[in-house]
Amino acid sequence: MNSLGVYQVIGTRAYRGHQPGDVFESVLDPNAEARAINRGSIRLLDRLEADLPEGKYRLPTGWPTTKERKG
Amino acid sequence: MAKHINNPVVTIDGDDFTNSFRSCTINAEFDQVDVTGFGSSFSEMIPGIGTATIELEAFQNFDTNGLDQNLWPIFINKTTVEVTVKAQPGTISSTNPEYSLPAAKLTTYGPVAGAVGEASTMTLTFTNAGQLGLVRSFT
């Protein structure tokens, strides 16, 4: 699955509408991302993974938890 | 009302190569399928399978990270890339749409052409290689 990345344009050309030096977030095709990094168009600054740790949230009153739903 | 195109934005595999091109032609058409039945006076044609290409006339450039260094691997490895053409710079909108081949292969590439005193130009043809064909985006 493709994941959200934070990239910086480091080449001399704009990349997908972002000017050289710009930092942008995008979900890129893994192959396209690898090629762009390999040819020096962009660099990966960070990989953002969606996360919802246990205990960091509360369900609305009356909503069953996953464990309760599955019995 | 714009009646000419003089400042389009062209990207290949994400990189903006606009300055390398001097002309661009997008072709999309459907085969005609003959479904004429007995007794008809005229042929009855319906659209069949579509084909789509983006043709670009480019100024060749052998510099480091120039056009040739970027296009040759795409051509020889038959790499599938996205090619986009926007009518003019700025935000994509209904009056500034972007046409793209999300999955295209570079099927024509003549890296060396020209004569004494002439600019070295070449024609690139990107041919659709995916299910989506030619896509028009306006948001």
Side-chain angles (χ1 to χ4, degrees), chain B residues 113-120:
Chain B
V116 174
E118 294 179 355
S120 178

Side-chain angles (χ1 to χ4, degrees), chain B residues 62-78:
Chain B
F62 297 107
D63 291 348
T64 300
N65 203 25
L67 202 58
D68 183 63
Q69 275 195 9
N70 282 278
L71 292 181
W72 177 249
I74 291 173
F75 175 70
I76 201 66
N77 297 324
K78 300 174 184 170

Side-chain angles (χ1 to χ4, degrees), chain A residues 31 34-35 38-39, chain B residues 13 68-81 104-109 126 129:
Chain A
N31 293 325
R35 287 194 301 270
N38 188 47
R39 67 175 176 258
Chain B
D13 204 18
D68 183 63
Q69 275 195 9
N70 282 278
L71 292 181
W72 177 249
I74 291 173
F75 175 70
I76 201 66
N77 297 324
K78 300 174 184 170
T79 307
T80 301
V81 297
K105 290 190 188 289
L106 180 56
T107 51
T108 302
Y109 180 57
F126 285 92

Side-chain angles (χ1 to χ4, degrees), chain B residues 54-137:
Chain B
I54 294 178
E55 289 184 4
L56 301 160
E57 189 173 357
F59 295 107
Q60 182 57 290
N61 180 341
F62 297 107
D63 291 348
T64 300
N65 203 25
L67 202 58
D68 183 63
Q69 275 195 9
N70 282 278
L71 292 181
W72 177 249
I74 291 173
F75 175 70
I76 201 66
N77 297 324
K78 300 174 184 170
T79 307
T80 301
V81 297
E82 182 182 28
V83 182
T84 70
V85 179
K86 191 165 56 175
Q88 54 193 351
T91 306
I92 297 170
S93 68
S94 59
T95 56
N96 188 29
E98 179 183 83
Y99 286 90
S100 66
L101 291 176
K105 290 190 188 289
L106 180 56
T107 51
T108 302
Y109 180 57
V112 178
V116 174
E118 294 179 355
S120 178
T121 61
M122 58 183 173
T123 301
L124 314 174
T125 304
F126 285 92
T127 303
N128 176 57
Q131 293 286 320
L132 295 176
L134 183 66
V135 175
R136 181 184 191 271
S137 304

Side-chain angles (χ1 to χ4, degrees), chain B residues 34-46:
Chain B
D34 190 337
V35 293
T36 311
F38 289 131
S40 299
S41 299
F42 288 86
S43 296
E44 186 180 348
M45 313 298 284
I46 62 171

